[in-house]
Amino acid sequence: MSLLSDLYEQLQSIPGGYISIKVINGKKRYYLQRKINGKVVSVYIKDSELEDIKEAISRRKEMEREVDRIKNEILHPLNPLSESALSLTGDLMSSDTVVAKYQNGELRYIDEDKCPLLIKRTHNLKDWLEGRSIDGHRTHSRILRKALRLKESDELRTVLRVFACTISDNFWFRPLKSKLHYDDVVFKSDLFADTALNGYINERFKPSSSPELTNTGSFEKCWKIIDNHWWMIKRGSKEELFSEWFASSLAKALGIPTVSYSIKDGNIYSMNLAEHYNLEPISSLAGDDDSYENVFPVIYELGEEFAKDYLMLMWFDVLVSNVDRHNENLGLLRDKKTGEIISLAPNYDNNMCLLAVHRILDEARSSDGMFKLFKAFITGNEIARSLLLDMDIPLVSKPIIEEILKESPIEVDKESLIKYLINGYEKLNSLIK
């Protein structure tokens, strides 16, 4: 760490060893005893230098204790690091607060409570940084790299191009000796939104900082400033757009916290859900295993209310057959100033449910795999079942669904959809009787 390096550098100039006393011809003489190249060397100390050397030795001992204290605080990543990761040196920031220092694969907390959750779990800055990089498999991400004159596809270099800033939180990485502040690196322009969304390159745009380099996910999307707020715009098929819009509208009607979506110009829009919070995926705490058996205990550790919110969200996923609730689109909201985990994030990313997955709906839901998995978990986990039985499960009725469908911007087979949802609701009800 930079502090540790400074201490080592200072120690080089401060004498070590100890002072011995010899009596020669009835007079005390003082010698500095120290090891040099493995041999004990004795150096005579003039009377005029004695107090200064005593003070220096005392200061050195204090500094050595400080070095030991800092070394005990240093955390090593759980996984091996590449040379590029080992070369990283700098500060992990939350806005303008240094929360950790990093050098040569070693991490030292400055303010652990405010650190990103993945860093706290793994101590691995490289994984955290790479997890913030745009998905290189997206067609438009490759076009975006060309527009921004990015010659390499290395995720680490990509994310460091924008100091690891994202729209979804206030974390970033400040290189060693940099004088940058958060206001210098936070995104203020959406110049490359059209490139990320549609693949267009405007020849007038010069390479600059863009939130698209840290806009994760597999669908073509972009961040756009609308009325001084950041909005996410995503492309998709007619079925994907409808499914995301409808799932959000139904969740809202049922009283389940959810992100609002609107369809316009063949795309779907949603305002940044983390405008006032830091959004972090549950993978930061639970890893990549998105099974109920793995995720539920992690969330239950946060508190019963968190666990109930999770169960409600999973109940809703079964209702609408959301097959894509992986650990990157199940989020936690944290206080930007204190780092406290406030709540689960509202429901978002439902573009892989209903008609987006089932072009022809099995109205009877006779072979519903998601229901089978959820049932197995609920019947096998006493805590989860007890919490579910204690929850107020919302009513799903034909009038509620019909009212939502009146506002649908896309025409679908309404009767088939209603039967699918009502039958799913009745099957879910069987779990709490």
Side-chain angles (χ1 to χ4, degrees):
M1 313 324 301
S2 58
L3 179 56
L4 199 55
S5 300
D6 290 344
L7 287 171
Y8 279 133
E9 187 175 339
Q10 292 176 46
L11 283 171
Q12 295 297 319
S13 62
I14 300 176
Y18 63 94
I19 296 175
S20 66
I21 304 174
K22 296 180 181 180
V23 178
I24 300 175
N25 297 325
K27 184 178 179 181
K28 289 183 179 180
R29 295 186 182 274
Y30 299 90
Y31 294 84
L32 177 62
Q33 307 285 348
R34 58 193 301 198
K35 275 190 176 183
I36 299 179
N37 296 326
K39 295 182 179 180
V40 177
V41 177
S42 181
V43 179
Y44 174 67
I45 303 173
K46 298 178 182 179
D47 289 346
S48 60
E49 298 173 343
L50 180 59
E51 292 304 317
D52 287 342
I53 291 178
K54 282 183 177 179
E55 182 181 338
I57 290 173
S58 176
R59 188 165 71 253
R60 182 185 178 92
K61 288 179 178 178
E62 289 180 7
M63 291 174 68
E64 287 174 339
R65 285 194 291 269
E66 180 68 3
V67 166
D68 289 340
R69 184 187 68 78
I70 293 173
K71 287 173 69 175
N72 287 334
E73 292 179 354
I74 287 176
L75 302 167
H76 297 269
L78 303 182
N79 301 320
L81 294 179
S82 64
E83 289 186 10
S84 59
L86 286 170
S87 68
L88 286 170
T89 301
D91 299 328
L92 183 57
M93 309 291 294
S94 174
S95 190
D96 281 317
T97 300
V98 180
V99 296
K101 289 183 172 290
Y102 186 88
Q103 183 175 349
N104 300 328
E106 297 177 340
L107 180 88
R108 182 169 68 87
Y109 290 134
I110 302 299
D111 193 336
E112 183 178 357
D113 289 340
K114 297 177 183 176
C115 269
L117 297 174
L118 181 67
I119 296 289
K120 293 174 71 172
R121 180 171 66 86
T122 68
H123 317 146
N124 195 326
L125 179 70
K126 172 180 174 287
D127 283 357
W128 179 78
L129 287 171
E130 291 183 341
R132 294 163 83 79
S133 177
I134 186 173
D135 188 337
H137 294 96
R138 275 165 39 195
T139 300
H140 295 166
S141 78
R142 295 191 289 275
I143 298 172
L144 179 67
R145 289 177 190 278
K146 291 179 182 179
L148 291 170
R149 313 294 195 271
L150 279 172
K151 296 181 180 180
E152 300 182 44
S153 59
D154 180 83
E155 290 179 334
L156 207 55
R157 293 181 183 275
T158 296
V159 77
L160 290 176
R161 171 73 175 269
V162 291
F163 302 95
C165 277
T166 74
I167 296 296
S168 300
D169 60 49
N170 67 353
F171 299 122
W172 60 291
F173 185 74
R174 185 175 67 186
L176 181 68
K177 297 182 180 180
S178 169
K179 302 298 182 183
L180 290 170
H181 295 278
Y182 187 53
D183 190 59
D184 299 321
V185 299
V186 69
F187 300 116
K188 299 171 183 175
S189 166
D190 60 7
L191 286 179
F192 292 89
D194 201 29
T195 304
L197 185 65
N198 300 307
Y200 301 147
I201 299 179
N202 190 320
E203 62 180 13
R204 294 183 293 108
F205 291 160
K206 296 180 180 180
S208 63
S209 177
S210 171
E212 304 310 331
L213 292 181
T214 50
N215 192 358
T216 59
S218 57
F219 283 80
E220 303 296 1
K221 61 178 71 172
C222 74
W223 285 111
K224 187 76 174 176
I225 299 174
I226 302 174
D227 295 331
N228 296 317
H229 296 282
W230 283 104
W231 286 72
M232 172 70 73
I233 307 176
K234 286 198 297 187
R235 298 183 66 186
S237 66
K238 179 183 73 172
E239 291 80 10
E240 288 164 350
L241 297 182
F242 170 80
S243 298
E244 182 126 59
W245 171 84
F246 179 83
S248 166
S249 301
L250 179 60
K252 189 181 298 183
L254 299 180
I256 298 172
T258 189
V259 173
S260 294
Y261 289 87
S262 58
I263 296 175
K264 180 182 177 182
D265 302 326
N267 298 310
I268 194 157
Y269 289 63
S270 61
M271 189 184 291
N272 175 25
L273 67 91
E275 187 170 20
H276 303 293
Y277 301 95
N278 280 339
L279 172 67
E280 296 190 60
I282 198 64
S283 61
S284 298
L285 296 180
D288 294 331
D289 181 356
D290 58 11
S291 66
Y292 301 131
E293 290 77 10
N294 178 59
V295 176
F296 178 78
V298 173
I299 293 182
Y300 185 73
E301 282 291 316
L302 300 176
E304 279 196 2
E305 291 307 311
F306 284 86
K308 286 183 177 180
D309 289 343
Y310 172 70
L311 289 173
M312 181 61 75
L313 194 53
M314 297 307 101
W315 176 92
F316 183 76
D317 279 346
V318 176
L319 178 68
V320 298
S321 193
N322 179 10
V323 299
D324 197 38
R325 183 69 67 190
H326 53 77
N327 287 356
E328 295 300 319
N329 64 17
L330 173 62
L332 296 166
L333 296 181
R334 297 179 68 195
D335 187 287
K336 287 188 174 184
K337 292 183 178 180
T338 66
E340 178 188 359
I341 299 176
I342 304 298
S343 67
L344 285 188
N347 177 31
Y348 63 97
D349 267 6
N350 292 279
N351 57 334
M352 291 298 291
C353 70
L354 294 171
L355 300 179
V357 180
H358 309 286
R359 293 296 189 266
I360 300 176
L361 295 172
D362 172 17
E363 296 175 3
R365 303 188 77 150
S366 53
S367 56
D368 194 319
M370 286 198 66
F371 174 78
K372 183 178 179 180
L373 290 173
F374 189 64
K375 179 181 179 180
F377 171 66
I378 292 300
T379 55
N381 188 304
E382 292 184 8
I383 295 176
R385 178 169 177 76
S386 175
L387 289 177
L388 188 65
L389 291 172
D390 190 47
M391 291 164 54
D392 293 326
I393 302 299
L395 170 67
V396 179
S397 67
K398 183 177 179 179
I400 290 175
I401 301 171
E402 288 177 330
E403 194 64 29
I404 296 170
L405 288 173
K406 287 180 182 178
E407 306 298 324
S408 175
I410 295 174
E411 192 64 34
V412 297
D413 185 341
K414 297 178 181 179
E415 288 305 314
S416 179
L417 180 63
I418 291 171
K419 289 177 182 177
Y420 183 83
L421 291 168
I422 294 299
N423 286 332
Y425 175 68
E426 290 177 352
K427 290 190 73 168
L428 283 165
N429 262 355
S430 68
L431 296 178
I432 54 176
K433 290 181 178 177

